[in-house]
């Protein structure tokens, strides 16, 4: 089992949700911790708590923003952030929307906790891998050291 797969399962067993797991893994790849960010990501749980857009997708978009977004007044957002977000959404819709009849949490899990347990961890793993690919194709590295812009 790959390290990412093991880490997703480990964090799931610790009670973290999909969006929080993506945030933790991105932070860990950068050698950082940010409990406030992880806590904030819980607002995406279960499709914003009401079954809407999957937290894996919204968390993944936040993860891309962590790398290419603007963090303070001295920093510029990466010009390629909108494109990276569009790539992730397009991939997610094709990969999971087609398979489960939509990209809402309720579509994917059918409001069944058993389906959440069987489907969501693999979706997080696949999404993390796709985000890594997207970052790499836009000259960002998962460790947070951008090759295309100065940090």
């Amino acid at each position: 089992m790959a390290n990412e797969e093991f880490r997703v399962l480990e964090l799931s067993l610790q009670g973290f949700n999909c969006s929080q797991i993506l945030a933790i893994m991105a932070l860990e790849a950068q050698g950082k911790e940010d409990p406030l960010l992880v806590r904030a990501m819980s607002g995406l749980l279960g499709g914003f708590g009401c079954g809407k857009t999957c937290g894996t997708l919204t968390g993944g978009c936040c993860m891309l923003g962590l790398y290419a977004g603007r963090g303070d007044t001295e920093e510029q957002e990466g010009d390629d952030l909108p494109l990276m977000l569009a790539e992730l959404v397009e991939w997610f819709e094709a990969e999971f929307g087609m398979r489960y009849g939509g990209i809402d949490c309720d579509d994917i899990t059918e409001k069944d906790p058993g389906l959440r347990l069987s489907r969501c961890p693999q979706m997080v793993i696949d999404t993390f891998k796709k985000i890594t690919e997207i970052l790499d194709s836009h000259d960002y590295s998962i460790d947070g050291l951008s090759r295309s812009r100065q940090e």
Side-chain angles (χ1 to χ4, degrees):
M1 183 179 298
N3 288 340
E4 292 90 10
E5 294 169 342
F6 177 78
R7 190 65 176 136
V8 167
L9 295 175
E10 181 180 48
L11 291 167
S12 293
L13 290 172
Q14 292 174 5
F16 290 103
N17 68 57
C18 48
S19 53
Q20 289 176 304
I21 292 169
L22 288 171
I24 291 167
M25 291 176 65
L27 289 165
E28 288 176 349
Q30 296 180 23
K32 299 177 183 175
E33 292 182 6
D34 189 339
L36 292 177
L37 173 61
V38 174
R39 182 181 300 147
M41 297 297 279
S42 67
L44 304 176
L45 168 66
F48 312 119
C50 59
K52 297 297 182 188
T53 306
C54 174
T56 301
L57 175 58
T58 55
C61 289
C62 291
M63 189 175 159
L64 289 171
L66 183 65
Y67 290 87
R70 181 174 182 219
D72 60 40
T73 59
E74 303 299 317
E75 192 174 34
Q76 294 293 318
E77 179 178 284
D79 291 338
D80 49 2
L81 180 58
L83 179 59
M84 292 192 301
L85 294 169
E87 288 175 32
L88 180 62
V89 172
E90 183 179 304
W91 170 83
F92 195 91
E93 288 175 329
E95 186 71 20
F96 301 115
M98 298 297 287
R99 187 181 313 169
Y100 300 123
I103 61 169
D104 282 355
C105 186
D106 283 353
D107 295 331
I108 295 164
T109 65
E110 300 174 28
K111 300 182 183 181
D112 179 343
L115 288 178
R116 178 174 284 183
L117 288 173
S118 66
R119 293 178 177 173
C120 297
Q122 189 61 52
M123 289 177 60
V124 172
I125 293 164
D126 293 347
T127 301
F128 184 81
K129 289 176 182 177
K130 184 62 179 181
I131 290 166
T132 301
E133 288 175 22
I134 291 170
L135 288 169
D136 188 56
S137 73
H138 289 272
D139 293 326
Y140 293 88
S141 60
I142 195 72
D143 64 9
L145 302 174
S146 171
R147 296 182 299 259
S148 64
R149 65 180 228 206
Q150 297 296 316
E151 295 291 298

